[in-house]
Amino acid sequence: MLRGAQQWLLPYLKFRSHPAQLSPDRPLHACIAVCDHYEPLHDTDLAGAERTVAHWQQVWPKLVNEYRDSGGRGPRHSFFFPIEQYKPTLLASLADLCHQTGSEVEIHLHHDNDTEATVTAKLEQGVSDLTSHGLLSRDAAGRGKYAFIHGNWALDNSHPSGRKCGVSNELSVLKRTGCYVDMTMPAAPDPCQTSTINSVYYAREDGLPKSHDQGIAVEVGKTASLRDKEDHLLLLQGPLGLNWQSRKWGLIPRLENGDASGSNPPSIERLRLWLELCPRVKNGAPWVFIKLHTHGGVSKNYDTLLGKRMRRFYADLAAMASAVPGFHYHFVTAREMTNLVHAAEDGKTGSPADWLDYLHAKPPVLG
């Protein structure tokens, strides 16, 4: 049995995959967001981390300028930076890179044995640190708003050991401190994985661990009222399932969890599975939300993300869009993907490119 499958295998067997039949009169828009658990201080010191960011500064703009999606935009990247590792020099360089390329920075946090008060303080400090660099969206009052990925997957104190979080009302804390979407899942094969899979949904904080195990699927005309409720948080999951086209020992299907890594780079073959697994807004526009995750601060992964295999994926996307009538693809950030979810929820249609800044505005550029 696949490791950790007890959390998700039965829901997966019951899951009805989305048809990916494409035609000019039945278009499909693949909205692709690479959400990076970006940890440049992983296994290195500040000087090593600065070299990592410098490498991204050197190579990433070239990729953005070289490739274009169906709307004419270059690739986008969402750097979920671990706020407990905040270093001004790293964020200044990353902010410059994002302002140059249209990529964005969001919040990542590893923590343990916290309370509501202590994690609130950490999140508020993280928002302050990132907004000081011109990062994060803003609300009408100018306060920072953010997308979130929990370190070690342990959102809402969901690890069976009770470690790696400690706060069983974390969804409400996140919402109160400016979080508008969580993008932690999928976690499989980690035991923090939810039984809800391949979904975009609102989870209600119930004061117990793993409140997000179940929720209400986003649906046109039915769920928009939940957006502003303090005890509800939007969760946008990446793909989770079995890849029968890639088998271990030629027999056992490999796990597909949206990981874009050195050992498992993005490919058109995987894209076809993502189109079947990834969430759409119920009764909404034909927009598929493909949220991938990676650890782009680790050299074996950024060699993939910035190298030949990612270039091949971009080229193959363009070839597929040219060869398959009705297929369109869009590079988006985590914020833009969330805006598209809400636009679809409100019944908006057409090209996703028209709704990228629908509710949550672009981060301001500091003068």
Side-chain angles (χ1 to χ4, degrees):
M1 185 176 183
L2 291 168
R3 180 164 61 91
Q6 64 271 19
Q7 283 89 20
W8 62 270
L9 185 57
L10 183 58
Y12 170 70
L13 294 175
K14 295 179 179 180
F15 175 74
R16 294 183 62 186
S17 62
H18 302 291
Q21 297 176 348
L22 304 173
S23 65
D25 59 336
R26 297 185 64 184
L28 191 65
H29 295 264
C31 306
I32 304 170
V34 179
C35 297
D36 189 345
H37 305 206
Y38 192 69
E39 301 165 16
L41 284 162
H42 179 81
D43 290 341
T44 190
D45 57 11
L46 180 58
E50 288 173 340
R51 287 192 294 271
T52 295
V53 177
H55 184 71
W56 274 87
Q57 287 180 303
Q58 179 183 8
V59 181
W60 180 239
K62 297 177 183 178
L63 290 179
V64 173
N65 290 329
E66 184 174 349
Y67 297 96
R68 290 291 183 266
D69 66 11
S70 296
R73 297 202 329 158
R76 294 296 188 265
H77 203 82
S78 295
F79 298 92
F80 284 75
F81 193 91
I83 55 174
E84 76 277 7
Q85 297 178 7
Y86 172 71
K87 301 292 182 184
T89 56
L90 293 180
L91 266 298
S93 297
L94 205 55
D96 287 343
L97 177 64
C98 288
H99 294 151
Q100 180 183 354
T101 63
S103 295
E104 297 179 9
V105 173
E106 302 291 353
I107 288 183
H108 189 33
L109 175 63
H110 305 81
H111 67 113
D112 191 17
N113 199 32
D114 261 319
T115 65
E116 179 178 352
T118 57
V119 78
T120 296
K122 291 176 180 178
L123 289 166
E124 289 178 342
Q125 184 62 55
V127 170
S128 176
D129 289 338
L130 268 57
T131 55
S132 72
H133 293 278
L135 302 167
L136 304 185
S137 184
R138 305 288 198 276
D139 65 13
R143 295 172 297 217
K145 305 282 285 183
Y146 63 94
F148 183 73
I149 288 177
H150 199 293
N152 305 119
W153 317 110
L155 177 67
D156 201 45
N157 210 23
S158 59
H159 198 279
S161 69
R163 299 295 307 276
K164 305 176 182 179
C165 182
V167 183
S168 295
N169 65 331
E170 192 168 39
L171 302 188
S172 291
V173 174
L174 289 167
K175 192 68 172 287
R176 191 167 61 247
T177 56
C179 178
Y180 54 78
V181 67
D182 175 85
M183 292 186 165
T184 302
M185 294 291 109
D190 191 274
C192 291
Q193 175 60 45
T194 55
S195 60
T196 297
I197 61 171
N198 300 325
S199 298
V200 54
Y201 63 107
Y202 291 97
R204 185 182 69 83
E205 178 58 73
D206 58 10
L208 301 174
K210 209 173 189 178
S211 303
H212 56 294
D213 194 54
Q214 300 285 337
I216 301 172
V218 177
E219 183 174 357
V220 174
K222 292 190 176 181
T223 54
S225 63
L226 300 177
R227 289 179 199 163
D228 298 324
K229 288 184 176 292
E230 190 173 288
D231 61 346
H232 282 71
L233 183 65
L234 180 71
L235 281 89
L236 208 171
Q237 299 182 326
L240 181 59
L242 301 177
N243 187 346
W244 291 93
Q245 302 303 312
S246 176
R247 306 190 190 196
K248 190 174 183 179
W249 305 310
L251 297 172
I252 303 173
R254 295 185 184 274
L255 179 69
E256 175 55 72
N257 62 3
D259 178 38
S261 64
S263 59
N264 198 19
S267 67
I268 288 297
E269 292 72 29
R270 293 180 70 195
L271 173 77
R272 296 183 190 281
L273 183 55
W274 298 337
L275 293 176
E276 296 178 0
L277 294 176
C278 287
R280 310 178 188 186
V281 168
K282 188 174 182 181
N283 298 322
W287 304 344
V288 184
F289 302 109
I290 301 175
K291 184 198 75 75
L292 309 179
H293 70 271
T294 188
H295 288 77
V298 181
S299 62
K300 68 178 181 180
N301 293 333
Y302 67 68
D303 285 346
T304 292
L305 298 169
L306 302 175
K308 292 181 179 179
R309 287 183 286 187
M310 203 66 177
R311 288 176 175 274
R312 184 182 304 121
F313 179 59
Y314 295 148
D316 288 346
L317 279 171
M320 180 174 173
S322 178
V324 181
F327 175 71
H328 309 274
Y329 67 101
H330 307 268
F331 299 127
V332 299
T333 65
R335 175 189 63 85
E336 291 168 339
M337 180 172 279
T338 305
N339 278 330
L340 294 178
V341 167
H342 291 311
E345 181 180 37
D346 287 343
K348 307 301 183 184
T349 58
S351 172
D354 296 333
W355 309 104
L356 297 175
D357 301 313
Y358 182 61
L359 290 184
H360 306 292
K362 294 179 182 177
V365 177
L366 298 181

